[in-house]
mmCIF file of all heavy atoms in Angstrom:
data_model
loop_
_atom_site.group_PDB
_atom_site.id
_atom_site.type_symbol
_atom_site.label_atom_id
_atom_site.label_comp_id
_atom_site.label_asym_id
_atom_site.label_seq_id
_atom_site.Cartn_x
_atom_site.Cartn_y
_atom_site.Cartn_z
ATOM 1 N N TYR A 400 79.072 -4.544 28.737
ATOM 2 C CA TYR A 400 79.545 -3.926 29.988
ATOM 3 C C TYR A 400 79.663 -5.037 31.036
ATOM 4 O O TYR A 400 79.167 -6.144 30.892
ATOM 5 C CB TYR A 400 78.504 -2.888 30.493
ATOM 6 C CG TYR A 400 77.346 -3.557 31.151
ATOM 7 C CD1 TYR A 400 77.263 -3.693 32.531
ATOM 8 C CD2 TYR A 400 76.330 -4.202 30.392
ATOM 9 C CE1 TYR A 400 76.196 -4.373 33.124
ATOM 10 C CE2 TYR A 400 75.303 -4.889 30.965
ATOM 11 C CZ TYR A 400 75.221 -4.967 32.348
ATOM 12 O OH TYR A 400 74.214 -5.654 32.946
ATOM 13 N N VAL A 401 80.278 -4.703 32.145
ATOM 14 C CA VAL A 401 80.182 -5.465 33.360
ATOM 15 C C VAL A 401 80.403 -4.509 34.530
ATOM 16 O O VAL A 401 81.183 -3.559 34.409
ATOM 17 C CB VAL A 401 81.176 -6.645 33.405
ATOM 18 C CG1 VAL A 401 82.635 -6.160 33.496
ATOM 19 C CG2 VAL A 401 80.891 -7.607 34.551
ATOM 20 N N TYR A 402 79.663 -4.681 35.610
ATOM 21 C CA TYR A 402 79.884 -3.875 36.781
ATOM 22 C C TYR A 402 81.114 -4.411 37.543
ATOM 23 O O TYR A 402 81.208 -5.626 37.775
ATOM 24 C CB TYR A 402 78.665 -3.911 37.703
ATOM 25 C CG TYR A 402 77.442 -3.256 37.159
ATOM 26 C CD1 TYR A 402 76.254 -3.992 36.988
ATOM 27 C CD2 TYR A 402 77.414 -1.922 36.806
ATOM 28 C CE1 TYR A 402 75.104 -3.392 36.493
ATOM 29 C CE2 TYR A 402 76.275 -1.311 36.333
ATOM 30 C CZ TYR A 402 75.112 -2.047 36.171
ATOM 31 O OH TYR A 402 73.973 -1.464 35.665
ATOM 32 N N LEU A 403 82.016 -3.527 37.908
ATOM 33 C CA LEU A 403 83.134 -3.872 38.757
ATOM 34 C C LEU A 403 82.952 -3.163 40.110
ATOM 35 O O LEU A 403 82.653 -1.979 40.169
ATOM 36 C CB LEU A 403 84.472 -3.452 38.143
ATOM 37 C CG LEU A 403 85.270 -4.560 37.480
ATOM 38 C CD1 LEU A 403 84.493 -5.181 36.335
ATOM 39 C CD2 LEU A 403 86.626 -4.063 37.005
ATOM 40 N N ILE A 404 83.114 -3.954 41.159
ATOM 41 C CA ILE A 404 82.939 -3.450 42.519
ATOM 42 C C ILE A 404 84.191 -3.800 43.315
ATOM 43 O O ILE A 404 84.618 -4.939 43.306
ATOM 44 C CB ILE A 404 81.683 -4.024 43.155
ATOM 45 C CG1 ILE A 404 80.435 -3.697 42.318
ATOM 46 C CG2 ILE A 404 81.520 -3.520 44.603
ATOM 47 C CD1 ILE A 404 79.168 -4.368 42.788
ATOM 48 N N GLY A 405 84.717 -2.814 44.022
ATOM 49 C CA GLY A 405 85.799 -3.070 44.960
ATOM 50 C C GLY A 405 87.203 -3.087 44.429
ATOM 51 O O GLY A 405 88.147 -3.230 45.204
ATOM 52 N N SER A 406 87.394 -2.896 43.117
ATOM 53 C CA SER A 406 88.737 -3.023 42.562
ATOM 54 C C SER A 406 89.706 -2.002 43.136
ATOM 55 O O SER A 406 90.921 -2.233 43.191
ATOM 56 C CB SER A 406 88.678 -2.910 41.050
ATOM 57 O OG SER A 406 88.200 -1.642 40.633
ATOM 58 N N ASP A 407 89.189 -0.844 43.570
ATOM 59 C CA ASP A 407 90.063 0.212 44.085
ATOM 60 C C ASP A 407 89.978 0.399 45.569
ATOM 61 O O ASP A 407 90.545 1.323 46.130
ATOM 62 C CB ASP A 407 89.725 1.555 43.396
ATOM 63 C CG ASP A 407 88.305 2.003 43.659
ATOM 64 O OD1 ASP A 407 87.506 1.218 44.201
ATOM 65 O OD2 ASP A 407 87.991 3.175 43.352
ATOM 66 N N LYS A 408 89.245 -0.470 46.269
ATOM 67 C CA LYS A 408 89.020 -0.270 47.683
ATOM 68 C C LYS A 408 90.283 -0.471 48.511
ATOM 69 O O LYS A 408 90.487 0.190 49.521
ATOM 70 C CB LYS A 408 87.943 -1.223 48.186
ATOM 71 C CG LYS A 408 86.571 -1.063 47.560
ATOM 72 C CD LYS A 408 85.910 0.240 47.907
ATOM 73 C CE LYS A 408 84.474 0.288 47.409
ATOM 74 N NZ LYS A 408 83.853 1.611 47.539
ATOM 75 N N LEU A 409 91.108 -1.440 48.091
ATOM 76 C CA LEU A 409 92.318 -1.737 48.857
ATOM 77 C C LEU A 409 93.585 -1.555 48.066
ATOM 78 O O LEU A 409 94.680 -1.462 48.642
ATOM 79 C CB LEU A 409 92.242 -3.211 49.347
ATOM 80 C CG LEU A 409 91.163 -3.514 50.394
ATOM 81 C CD1 LEU A 409 90.972 -5.016 50.503
ATOM 82 C CD2 LEU A 409 91.530 -2.915 51.723
ATOM 83 N N SER A 410 93.496 -1.568 46.735
ATOM 84 C CA SER A 410 94.698 -1.557 45.929
ATOM 85 C C SER A 410 94.529 -0.719 44.643
ATOM 86 O O SER A 410 93.804 -1.136 43.738
ATOM 87 C CB SER A 410 95.088 -2.994 45.550
ATOM 88 O OG SER A 410 96.184 -2.990 44.640
ATOM 89 N N THR A 411 95.190 0.434 44.577
ATOM 90 C CA THR A 411 95.236 1.186 43.349
ATOM 91 C C THR A 411 95.872 0.351 42.256
ATOM 92 O O THR A 411 95.491 0.399 41.082
ATOM 93 C CB THR A 411 96.033 2.500 43.565
ATOM 94 O OG1 THR A 411 95.441 3.188 44.676
ATOM 95 C CG2 THR A 411 96.014 3.344 42.329
ATOM 96 N N ASP A 412 96.866 -0.425 42.635
ATOM 97 C CA ASP A 412 97.597 -1.275 41.726
ATOM 98 C C ASP A 412 96.674 -2.265 40.989
ATOM 99 O O ASP A 412 96.698 -2.399 39.777
ATOM 100 C CB ASP A 412 98.668 -2.019 42.532
ATOM 101 C CG ASP A 412 99.714 -2.732 41.663
ATOM 102 O OD1 ASP A 412 99.854 -2.360 40.481
ATOM 103 O OD2 ASP A 412 100.389 -3.641 42.215
ATOM 104 N N LEU A 413 95.835 -2.941 41.759
ATOM 105 C CA LEU A 413 94.899 -3.923 41.175
ATOM 106 C C LEU A 413 93.902 -3.227 40.255
ATOM 107 O O LEU A 413 93.590 -3.750 39.170
ATOM 108 C CB LEU A 413 94.181 -4.704 42.263
ATOM 109 C CG LEU A 413 93.174 -5.763 41.781
ATOM 110 C CD1 LEU A 413 93.860 -6.825 40.948
ATOM 111 C CD2 LEU A 413 92.428 -6.381 42.946
#
Side-chain angles (χ1 to χ4, degrees):
Y400 78 100
V401 67
Y402 293 120
L403 258 61
I404 301 172
S406 63
D407 62 349
K408 299 293 187 188
L409 293 166
S410 173
T411 305
D412 192 19
L413 180 60

